[in-house]
Amino acid sequence: MRKKLAAVEKELAALRADRNSRARELPRPLLADYEKILKARSGIAVASVNASAICGGCRMAIRPQAIQELKAAQAPMICENCGRYLYWQESA
């Protein structure tokens, strides 16, 4: 059991280091918003949207115009209902 715990802790440390290095690349205001949403939404700050046009975080419908903007991915988009950052996920 201790070996498993050590392996998980090692993997977690590697993931945290990767996250921290990627976070340094983001603009400060964006990172601050992300951290705020992360705390407010039980650790889930990003949600997917697919062809069903439903936010993966709060299950509310996304406006058709917002779907088009999300597909174009020109700027970060936030769900109008739950406030999570959204990303477009192609159907498999």
Side-chain angles (χ1 to χ4, degrees):
M1 187 61 101
R2 287 188 177 145
K3 285 182 183 181
K4 275 187 173 182
L5 180 59
V8 169
E9 286 176 349
K10 183 177 179 181
E11 183 179 354
L12 182 59
L15 290 172
R16 283 186 176 148
D18 183 43
R19 181 200 181 279
N20 290 337
S21 69
R22 291 175 190 254
R24 281 187 227 111
E25 299 171 6
L26 296 174
R28 290 254 184 225
L30 182 65
L31 185 58
D33 285 347
Y34 172 82
E35 294 290 341
K36 183 175 143 188
I37 296 166
L38 193 65
K39 288 178 185 174
R41 298 292 174 196
S42 302
I44 302 173
V46 180
S48 66
V49 177
N50 58 24
S52 64
I54 302 290
C55 171
C58 66
R59 307 285 187 228
M60 293 297 290
I62 306 296
R63 295 178 296 111
Q65 178 61 35
I67 293 294
Q68 294 306 316
E69 292 171 11
L70 188 60
K71 285 181 180 180
Q74 295 174 348
M77 181 174 282
I78 293 179
C79 176
E80 295 172 348
N81 186 58
C82 68
R84 289 179 175 98
Y85 282 104
L86 299 175
Y87 70 93
W88 180 254
Q89 182 178 21
E90 291 292 333
S91 298

